């Protein structure tokens, strides 16, 4: 959480651009990572991350914390944008059609992220997991949030987060091996 | 791949970051958007909708109060008063019947007396 975040949010809610820029600088990279790990293509991830922060700026006057961190709100917008992206931009794929193993060809379709092969392989496998499993893996291992923090961000119980994390790792191992 | 290796690989994804130029351009574009006007517009619409709904509700309630049944009528429709009314009506019917039987009994008795006193008439 950003230092003095509550005050910064209050200023941004009143239209203070510097305050919003501070929030943007702090949260833009993790939100971008969250999106790019779900949609793969860099330019699409850039468009989606832009839409997330545009929506946040426009709707900020209506933002109410209700005990949840500001990041929870941003991740919620990001998740909804990714859902819309898959609903409109991509043909629907039956879960039965998703290949169990991932080949080098699958990995080659990934974005130009300059990642090594293992990383690309894991990233491609992650995208076959359920959205909840993806969210927990990204927040736990990429963003280094604790299960308690993730439970606040995703508005789920801490125990549920631990179960999702356990199942996600297990599923990811199976898909990679 | 072992679990620890997998987790280490996931942590390598922390290297992913957006292009700095894109990030600055995106922020500049966002801040060119007017935050307040959109909010005021949508807020005004919501307020207008709530206001119209409230007015419609007041009109409906007023019409019902003027044209609808009075309090006295409504009060007379409760179970207790209906039962009491029903009981009293039954009671009146019984009184009328008793009165009728009383009168008719007297007439029959008079007729019988006449028959006894003047048998040749009949």
């Amino acid at each position: 959480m950003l230092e003095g975040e509550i005050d910064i949010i209050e200023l941004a809610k009143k239209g203070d651009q510097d305050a919003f820029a501070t929030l943007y600088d702090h949260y833009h990279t993790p939100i971008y990572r969250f999106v790019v790990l779900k949609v793969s293509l860099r330019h699409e991830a850039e468009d989606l991350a832009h839409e997330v922060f545009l929506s946040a700026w426009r709707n900020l006057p209506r933002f109410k914390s209700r005990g949840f961190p500001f990041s929870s709100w941003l991740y919620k917008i990001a998740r909804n944008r990714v859902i819309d992206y898959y609903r409109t931009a991509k043909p629907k794929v039956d879960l039965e059609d998703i290949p169990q193993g991932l080949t080098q060809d699958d990995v080659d379709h990934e974005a130009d992220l300059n990642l090594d092969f293992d990383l690309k392989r894991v990233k491609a496998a992650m995208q076959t997991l359920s959205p909840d499993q993806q969210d927990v893996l990204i927040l736990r291992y990429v963003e280094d949030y604790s299960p308690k923090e993730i439970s606040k961000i995703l508005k789920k119980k801490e125990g549920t987060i631990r179960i999702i994390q356990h199942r996600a790792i297990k599923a990811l191992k199976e898909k990679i091996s | 791949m072992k679990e620890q290796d997998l987790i280490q690989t996931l942590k390598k994804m922390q290297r992913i970051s957006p292009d700095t130029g894109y990030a600055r351009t995106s922020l500049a574009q966002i801040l060119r958007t007017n935050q307040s006007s959109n909010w005021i517009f949508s807020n005004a619409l919501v307020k207008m909708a709530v206001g119209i709904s409230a007015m419609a509700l007041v009109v409906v309630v007023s019409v019902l109060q003027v044209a609808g049944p009075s309090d006295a009528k409504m009060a007379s429709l409760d179970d207790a008063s209906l039962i009491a009314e029903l009981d009293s009506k039954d009671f009146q019917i019984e009184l009328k019947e008793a009165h009728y039987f009383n009168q008719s009994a007297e007439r029959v008795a008079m007729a019988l007396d006449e028959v006894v006193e003047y048998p040749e008439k009949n």
Side-chain angles (χ1 to χ4, degrees):
Chain A
M1 190 173 166
L2 191 60
E3 198 179 334
E5 188 172 279
I6 295 168
D7 295 334
I8 296 168
I9 291 168
E10 284 307 310
L11 285 171
K13 283 174 78 168
K14 291 171 188 166
D16 187 313
Q17 296 194 345
D18 290 338
F20 184 78
T22 306
L23 292 170
Y24 179 93
D25 288 342
H26 187 74
Y27 289 110
H28 184 257
T29 300
I31 291 293
Y32 169 81
R33 263 198 298 259
F34 181 81
V35 173
V36 83
L37 288 172
K38 283 168 170 273
V39 303
S40 290
L41 299 171
R42 184 182 283 273
H43 70 274
E44 286 179 342
E46 286 177 350
D47 288 348
L48 289 173
H50 174 78
E51 285 175 21
V52 170
F53 281 91
L54 181 62
S55 175
W57 169 246
R58 283 180 170 165
N59 295 300
L60 202 51
R62 274 179 283 183
F63 169 74
K64 283 178 185 169
S65 158
R66 299 180 205 276
F68 294 102
F70 183 66
S71 59
S72 171
W73 188 58
L74 291 176
Y75 279 112
K76 188 181 175 186
I77 299 172
R79 280 201 304 277
N80 289 338
R81 283 287 180 272
V82 171
I83 289 167
D84 289 345
Y85 164 80
Y86 279 110
R87 199 178 283 151
T88 57
K90 275 200 155 185
K92 285 177 183 169
V93 179
D94 195 306
L95 287 175
E96 297 295 321
D97 296 336
I98 294 172
Q100 292 301 306
L102 292 155
T103 64
Q104 180 65 53
D105 285 343
D106 295 322
V107 176
D108 285 343
H109 284 102
E110 293 302 302
D112 51 339
L113 293 169
N114 298 321
L115 303 174
D116 58 39
F117 178 69
D118 271 352
L119 204 55
K120 284 183 177 181
R121 203 156 60 115
V122 171
K123 184 170 169 291
M126 264 178 71
Q127 288 178 356
T128 66
L129 301 179
S130 72
D132 275 350
Q133 289 176 336
Q134 289 181 41
D135 293 351
V136 170
L137 284 184
I138 294 168
L139 294 173
R140 182 78 183 97
Y141 298 112
V142 183
E143 301 306 332
D144 269 340
Y145 283 113
S146 68
K148 192 177 179 180
E149 288 170 320
I150 299 170
S151 73
K152 283 188 175 177
I153 291 170
L154 298 182
K155 297 181 183 175
K156 290 182 191 288
K157 288 180 181 171
E158 195 179 332
T160 309
I161 297 298
R162 289 182 190 278
I163 292 168
I164 294 172
Q165 180 189 323
H166 173 74
R167 287 180 182 162
I169 288 287
K170 193 179 166 194
L172 201 56
K173 272 172 71 180
E174 282 171 6
K175 285 177 191 296
I176 289 167
S177 60
Chain B
M1 192 182 275
K2 289 178 186 173
E3 189 170 318
Q4 276 309 308
D5 296 334
L6 187 60
I7 290 168
Q8 284 308 312
T9 309
L10 285 168
K11 285 183 179 292
K12 282 183 191 172
M13 290 177 183
Q14 292 172 353
R15 295 188 335 224
I16 298 169
S17 60
D19 177 75
T20 317
Y22 140 75
R24 290 296 103 199
T25 308
S26 171
L27 177 61
Q29 281 182 2
I30 290 166
L31 293 179
R32 272 202 292 272
T33 313
N34 195 334
Q35 182 191 39
S36 319
S37 61
N38 288 323
W39 164 238
I40 287 168
F41 179 66
S42 58
N43 198 26
L45 277 179
V46 171
K47 281 180 179 171
M48 198 165 71
V50 170
I52 290 169
S53 305
M55 279 176 65
L57 191 66
V58 167
V59 169
V60 168
V61 169
S62 305
V63 167
L64 279 175
Q65 277 194 329
V66 171
S70 65
D71 287 349
K73 280 182 184 172
M74 290 301 286
S76 69
L77 290 175
D78 65 283
D79 289 351
S81 62
L82 283 172
I83 290 166
E85 192 180 337
L86 191 65
D87 286 346
S88 84
K89 278 189 178 171
D90 282 341
F91 184 65
Q92 284 169 6
I93 289 165
E94 281 171 15
L95 280 178
K96 279 180 184 173
E97 282 175 352
H99 185 64
Y100 170 75
F101 285 129
N102 193 29
Q103 280 185 335
S104 61
E106 277 179 17
R107 282 179 192 156
V108 168
M110 283 172 68
L112 284 171
D113 286 347
E114 280 179 16
V115 168
V116 171
E117 284 177 22
Y118 311 103
E120 62 280 5
K121 270 188 178 178
N122 298 301

